[in-house]
Amino acid sequence: QVQLVESGGGLVQAGGSLRLSCAVSGRTFSSYAMGWFRQAPGKEREFVAAISWGGLRTNYADSVKGRFTISRDNAKNTVYLQMNSLKPEDTAVYYCAAASDYGRLRDGSWGQGTQVTVSS
């Protein structure tokens, strides 16, 4: 079992940038696939980005491709989400997820979320 703590959310104007961090406890962080999801009010939680344990494989939702970048630092047990060119529709609570199976992040461990608000 791992514990995940997100940080870095906040209020930003449209066109701005934020970097989210997710610190993960546990000695086996480097063996986990990691992902970011988000949930806007009244909507279901949706996939944003994922990265494999070694960082060689990444996937993004079409809505964030070219604007968001997921990365990880296994020495620091941390995964990041760099968000550029933010839009009001990016407003949501962002959650970090960890799983041993890259394809089953939704079934893994979750953080408590961090709020991102983009003003127009």
Side-chain angles (χ1 to χ4, degrees), residues 18-32:
L18 282 174
R19 188 176 82 154
L20 305 183
S21 299
C22 175
V24 183
S25 65
R27 294 176 293 177
T28 58
F29 171 76
S30 60
S31 67
Y32 282 94

Side-chain angles (χ1 to χ4, degrees), residues 69-120:
T69 302
I70 188 171
S71 62
R72 67 189 295 160
D73 185 337
N74 286 346
K76 296 182 177 180
N77 280 20
T78 302
V79 63
Y80 304 98
L81 185 68
Q82 178 66 43
M83 306 186 295
N84 298 328
S85 302
L86 283 161
K87 304 175 181 180
E89 51 264 44
D90 294 319
T91 295
V93 177
Y94 283 70
Y95 297 90
C96 175
S100 56
D101 187 335
Y102 188 86
R104 301 190 66 177
L105 281 165
R106 287 183 183 269
D107 298 327
S109 300
W110 293 87
Q112 83 290 346
T114 185
Q115 176 71 47
V116 172
T117 303
V118 184
S119 63
S120 57

Side-chain angles (χ1 to χ4, degrees), residues 5-6 9 17 27 43-44 47 49 53 57-58 61 67-68 78 80 82 85 92-93 112 115-116 120:
V5 179
E6 302 96 334
S17 299
R27 294 176 293 177
K43 295 188 177 181
E44 293 187 353
F47 169 77
W53 66 270
R57 179 183 177 185
T58 58
R67 300 188 298 122
F68 290 11
T78 302
Y80 304 98
Q82 178 66 43
S85 302
V93 177
Q112 83 290 346
Q115 176 71 47
V116 172
S120 57

